[in-house]
Amino acid sequence: MKLLLKRISPSYTLHMNEVVGVGGLGKTALVLEVAYLCKKAKEEGLEQLNGLNIPIFDAIIFSSAKTKKLESRGIVEISSEARDKCLQDIFRTIAATLDTPIINQATASNQLSQVYKCLDNQQTLLIIDNMETLERSEKERVYEFLGDVPPTTQVVITTREKIGYLSITLDELSKEDSLELIKQEASLKNINISFTEATKLYKRFKGIPLALKYTIGKKASGRSVNFDAPLDDNIAQFCFEDSLSSIRGNYSYKLLMALAIFPGDPLKDFLVEVAGLSSIDPDKISKELDELKVLNLVSEYDGRYHLLTMTKEYTRIEIGKNQEFEDIARERLVNRYILFTQKHGGLDWEEWYEDSKQIRNELENIKGILDWCAVKNRYEDVKAIWKNISNYIDLLGDWQLCLYWTDWLIQKSIKRSELDTYISLLASKAWIQILMGGETIHDARNLLMTAWKLKSHSSDLTKTELAKNLAFLDLNHKHHYRQSIRWLNHAEGFLKLTKLAKKEYKRYEILFAYYRGRVEYFQKNFEIAKEHFEQVIKLGEEIKWQRYSNYAKHRLGDVALELGHLEIARQLLETAYIIAKNNSEPRRVFLCLISKAKLEKKSGNLEKACKLEAEAKLLKANNPVSTRDEEDFKLLHDDLACDFRQFETV
């Protein structure tokens, strides 16, 4: 640890480090301990802890390499469509940790430069775990990325295979350290182990930390340790199987098997359901889970259950011996998340961000299930889950993930000759490309026109979506206001032919009223724009669609500002700003800041306007904005710069 802390210091010449060792030696445990020390040192403002010199980082990022997927029948590769996902997952982790959604929202050609730009802004410790699980081509892409990270970033890789970077190799613990570990584990488990017993354990299981932890866990559960069976080369796996043999036939066994099937760490209710134990007394389940923790097979953090990488590997090998259980458990897992995403996904209503957080908290499991379903070519399951979460992934700003799964479904829908689904997916992909802006706008228009030519094969609802997206495109990127109105007229005509429920029908009416309000606003027909935005608020409150009601309040504030009603504008803009901030909508917060800055400028508060503009600029650096929004910001910036120069002259 002392050596690793020295080598990850920002002042150290080389910035690429690897921790090497066979499974069970504690590579991940070591780097995580170092990461938590660095985190604690920053929080407490210290440069030394426990006599160690601790480097200070602005951000610590932990990502696990998972291109290969462990299943009961061994290690299998994820489908060819998914092979670039490891690097994307690393980028996604960086974006989430640094709170910079602009990484996920950038085009493919700009994404890498955005990652480097964000990393360059602070001292960062980047940890990539389990590098050996990647196939060769994916490793090369990850190494190429890591080789060019800015000097502000220190990299640590854990791997079972030596690569050639600055290495720290973990070997078996010495006798002295093994005895110390045994003593420590025994104390944690509240059991007594004599020096003679500890020495016997060391001689039997060598200095493999995981093997010793399994063994002491078994003793703590009141079971005897097998000293007679012959050992093979994988001592840790032997000890795992020895512990496992003591719980076969118990509920704890099923819970362990089910836990290994989850891509990430599940909550208790999810785990119990997938294990098929929902009808069992909850107190009994809690005792069984406690037993797994005593055995050192399972750990619990913040209400979620976790397996060490090696324990998960060994458990998945065990699952392979009971194919019937695995098949049933995986069906439960997929069905559980279809129901979960139906409940918390779909369309956003009311306090939509609360549901969004539910989706985000389960995103690792959801993405893993989507990957598994894709490998198994379970098209209907992928389609169902993606339909439920796509709106929220869009709102969370992970546009690259949106493009990935939309493209996957497009290809599958073509093969199945599902024309309506295909056309709907083209419209969805184009929507994301419009939001991304820049070079993708031309592609979005081509996609929408291709879909429009095929509209005779689509439902009235899909036609409504197509026309709506074309209206949005002309409204925001070409300023073709008349054409935008024509598309809205088409969309309204198609909407009348649909058989949507009243609530969903009104949702489209709200969208169309909002777009019409924007068209009138841009053409300076402020009174007409006001009527449209008031209609949005009225309809939005009727169906409890908070998000667009708030958007309309913001735009009514803009209208009031243009009409010179400054106090009304101030109230509306402040309300819209607070709601957007509470719902963690950075783009809407950015737009509100622009409007508030314009208000302060018009009110003669130049200094306050400049502060709001600076705040908006900072937000824009980490969050993408549309071409139209960029134009508004530039106009504000130029106006304030001009006024400030005049002020300085006076």
Side-chain angles (χ1 to χ4, degrees):
M1 193 193 303
K2 187 175 181 181
L3 180 58
L4 184 56
L5 284 166
K6 176 184 176 183
R7 289 183 178 177
I8 63 172
S9 170
S11 62
Y12 202 76
T13 308
L14 301 175
H15 71 279
M16 296 287 292
N17 300 272
E18 60 183 19
V19 178
V20 185
V22 300
L25 287 178
K27 300 182 295 296
T28 304
L30 171 65
V31 297
L32 283 177
E33 182 68 16
V34 164
Y36 280 113
L37 276 176
C38 293
K39 180 175 181 287
K40 185 177 180 182
K42 184 194 176 189
E43 290 170 349
E44 297 182 4
L46 302 172
E47 293 184 358
Q48 277 202 341
L49 283 172
N50 303 327
L52 296 169
N53 294 320
I54 313 293
I56 303 296
F57 294 98
D58 300 307
I60 300 173
I61 302 167
F62 182 92
S63 183
S64 184
K66 293 176 183 174
T67 291
K68 289 185 178 176
K69 193 175 186 66
L70 283 161
E71 293 200 36
S72 61
R73 292 170 292 283
I75 297 177
V76 298
E77 290 181 2
I78 286 177
S79 60
S80 58
E81 297 99 323
R83 285 180 185 164
D84 289 334
K85 282 180 92 305
C86 177
L87 196 55
Q88 286 297 319
D89 284 343
I90 292 172
F91 290 170
R92 196 167 286 113
T93 304
I94 292 171
T97 307
L98 300 182
D99 193 20
T100 51
I102 194 171
I103 291 172
N104 295 328
Q105 297 165 343
T107 59
S109 59
N110 292 330
Q111 193 174 35
L112 185 60
S113 62
Q114 286 291 352
V115 172
Y116 288 148
K117 182 180 177 182
C118 292
L119 289 174
D120 197 33
N121 288 334
Q122 64 266 304
Q123 292 290 341
T124 305
L125 175 61
L126 175 59
I127 300 167
I128 310 294
D129 198 30
N130 302 323
M131 188 65 91
E132 75 282 346
T133 64
L134 300 182
E135 64 175 20
R136 183 176 176 180
S137 59
E138 186 64 17
K139 275 183 191 174
E140 289 173 355
R141 284 188 283 273
V142 174
Y143 291 146
E144 185 178 353
F145 156 67
L146 294 175
D148 291 329
V149 294
T152 53
T153 303
Q154 296 295 316
V155 178
V156 179
I157 294 164
T158 72
T159 177
R160 298 180 198 175
E161 308 162 350
K162 196 165 185 176
I163 299 160
Y165 296 127
L166 204 59
S167 294
I168 293 176
T169 301
L170 298 190
D171 296 313
E172 297 174 2
L173 295 178
S174 66
K175 179 180 179 180
E176 181 183 2
D177 287 337
S178 296
L179 295 176
E180 184 64 27
L181 175 62
I182 293 167
K183 179 181 176 182
Q184 177 181 294
E185 283 294 310
S187 175
L188 289 171
K189 301 296 183 185
N190 293 316
I191 59 172
N192 293 315
I193 295 180
S194 67
F195 179 78
T196 302
E197 283 182 292
T199 304
K200 188 177 180 182
L201 286 173
Y202 166 69
K203 288 180 178 178
R204 171 68 171 165
F205 302 114
K206 310 302 180 187
I208 307 293
L210 190 57
L212 294 173
K213 285 171 74 71
Y214 285 150
T215 303
I216 294 164
K218 192 176 180 188
K219 281 185 68 68
S221 70
R223 297 172 171 89
S224 60
V225 177
N226 189 344
F227 282 93
D228 300 320
L231 288 174
D232 57 22
D233 291 337
N234 195 334
I235 297 174
Q237 186 171 358
F238 170 87
C239 294
F240 166 81
E241 291 173 352
D242 191 35
S243 295
L244 194 67
S245 65
S246 65
I247 61 170
R248 279 196 181 92
N250 298 346
Y251 293 142
S252 55
Y253 177 84
K254 287 188 175 182
L255 289 164
L256 182 65
M257 297 300 105
L259 181 53
I261 290 172
F262 279 85
D265 298 340
L267 294 166
K268 183 178 179 179
D269 289 349
F270 286 68
L271 175 58
V272 171
E273 185 172 336
V274 172
L277 301 174
S278 298
S279 62
I280 306 303
D281 177 24
D283 290 339
K284 174 65 175 171
I285 294 296
S286 295
K287 289 178 182 177
E288 297 287 311
L289 287 168
D290 286 342
E291 181 178 33
L292 290 174
K293 288 189 277 187
V294 169
L295 287 167
N296 278 328
L297 295 173
V298 171
S299 54
E300 182 186 358
Y301 303 100
D302 298 326
R304 291 184 179 270
Y305 290 86
H306 174 75
L307 292 178
L308 293 174
T309 301
M310 293 303 302
T311 305
K312 183 170 277 195
E313 283 188 27
Y314 301 151
T315 306
R316 283 177 169 168
I317 292 169
E318 175 70 15
I319 294 172
K321 300 172 185 176
N322 190 343
Q323 195 61 53
E324 183 180 1
F325 174 83
E326 180 183 9
D327 292 341
I328 294 172
R330 285 196 183 277
E331 285 297 327
R332 291 195 197 105
L333 181 66
V334 173
N335 292 332
R336 181 69 179 84
Y337 276 90
I338 289 175
L339 292 174
F340 172 81
T341 55
Q342 280 176 350
K343 180 179 178 181
H344 296 289
L347 300 175
D348 57 290
W349 306 104
E350 299 184 49
E351 296 287 342
W352 64 269
Y353 191 67
E354 290 305 312
D355 278 323
S356 177
K357 283 196 291 188
Q358 293 290 329
I359 297 291
R360 181 153 46 187
N361 290 340
E362 290 297 327
L363 202 50
E364 183 179 2
N365 281 314
I366 293 170
K367 288 190 296 184
I369 290 165
L370 283 171
D371 285 339
W372 183 82
C373 289
V375 170
K376 300 301 181 183
N377 204 27
R378 294 173 61 135
Y379 168 78
E380 294 297 337
D381 290 330
V382 172
K383 188 165 73 167
I385 293 173
W386 184 248
K387 180 182 178 182
N388 293 336
I389 68 168
S390 58
N391 183 56
Y392 281 86
I393 301 301
D394 175 6
L395 291 175
L396 290 173
D398 197 342
W399 294 339
Q400 289 297 333
L401 191 64
C402 287
L403 290 177
Y404 177 82
W405 284 111
T406 304
D407 281 337
W408 189 91
L409 287 165
I410 284 172
Q411 295 304 316
K412 299 299 178 183
S413 64
I414 292 172
K415 292 179 181 178
R416 290 168 173 259
S417 299
E418 294 183 5
L419 278 176
D420 183 60
T421 301
Y422 171 68
I423 295 165
S424 176
L425 288 165
L426 290 182
S428 298
K429 181 176 180 179
W431 171 264
I432 297 300
Q433 290 176 325
I434 294 168
L435 293 174
M436 293 174 75
E439 63 197 52
T440 66
I441 294 301
H442 179 70
D443 296 336
R445 186 173 292 278
N446 286 342
L447 278 180
L448 288 172
M449 295 316 298
T450 298
W452 186 253
K453 290 174 185 176
L454 296 169
K455 68 181 183 298
S456 61
H457 301 284
S458 65
S459 66
D460 293 318
L461 181 59
T462 298
K463 291 171 189 169
T464 304
E465 277 289 316
L466 263 176
K468 173 190 70 95
N469 290 1
L470 281 159
F472 182 71
L473 177 65
D474 281 328
L475 170 63
N476 283 280
H477 289 279
K478 286 293 183 183
H479 307 180
H480 292 166
Y481 301 128
R482 289 183 182 176
Q483 187 64 23
S484 183
I485 292 296
R486 279 197 286 269
W487 285 122
L488 285 173
N489 290 337
H490 279 305
E492 287 175 341
F494 293 133
L495 180 64
K496 290 174 183 176
L497 300 175
T498 65
K499 296 180 180 179
L500 285 175
K502 184 178 179 181
K503 192 175 182 181
E504 282 74 22
Y505 190 96
K506 282 194 174 184
R507 186 183 178 100
Y508 279 100
E509 288 186 318
I510 288 168
L511 284 170
F512 300 155
Y514 183 80
Y515 290 169
R516 288 182 185 277
R518 293 294 283 155
V519 167
E520 298 300 340
Y521 177 85
F522 290 140
Q523 296 183 110
K524 301 189 183 303
N525 300 322
F526 299 124
E527 290 294 346
I528 302 175
K530 182 171 178 281
E531 291 175 8
H532 286 302
F533 293 136
E534 286 173 344
Q535 184 189 9
V536 170
I537 294 174
K538 178 177 176 293
L539 292 175
E541 289 174 349
E542 284 180 15
I543 63 172
K544 297 183 178 180
W545 193 16
Q546 187 200 70
R547 187 162 59 93
Y548 261 81
S549 292
N550 191 49
Y551 291 179
K553 287 173 186 174
H554 171 206
R555 295 311 180 185
L556 271 178
D558 285 342
V559 169
L561 182 58
E562 293 292 344
L563 294 174
H565 305 150
L566 301 189
E567 281 311 307
I568 294 174
R570 190 179 302 279
Q571 292 173 15
L572 287 165
L573 292 175
E574 189 60 28
T575 299
Y577 171 77
I578 290 170
I579 293 174
K581 205 164 186 182
N582 289 342
N583 279 347
S584 294
E585 289 188 271
R587 178 172 174 259
R588 184 58 48 177
V589 172
F590 167 76
L591 296 175
C592 287
L593 286 170
I594 291 176
S595 296
K596 288 175 69 176
K598 289 178 181 177
L599 172 63
E600 296 303 336
K601 175 182 179 294
K602 205 160 189 175
S603 301
N605 301 323
L606 187 59
E607 186 176 354
K608 193 169 183 180
C610 288
K611 286 181 179 178
L612 289 166
E613 184 250 359
E615 192 177 341
K617 183 178 180 181
L618 186 64
L619 202 59
K620 184 169 74 77
N622 292 326
N623 298 277
V625 297
S626 71
T627 305
R628 168 71 73 177
D629 300 339
E630 186 73 58
E631 290 172 2
D632 283 354
F633 179 78
K634 189 175 186 308
L635 284 172
L636 170 69
H637 177 77
D638 291 344
D639 283 351
L640 289 175
C642 179
D643 285 359
F644 204 81
R645 282 195 296 272
Q646 291 175 4
F647 173 76
E648 284 184 321
T649 302
V650 172

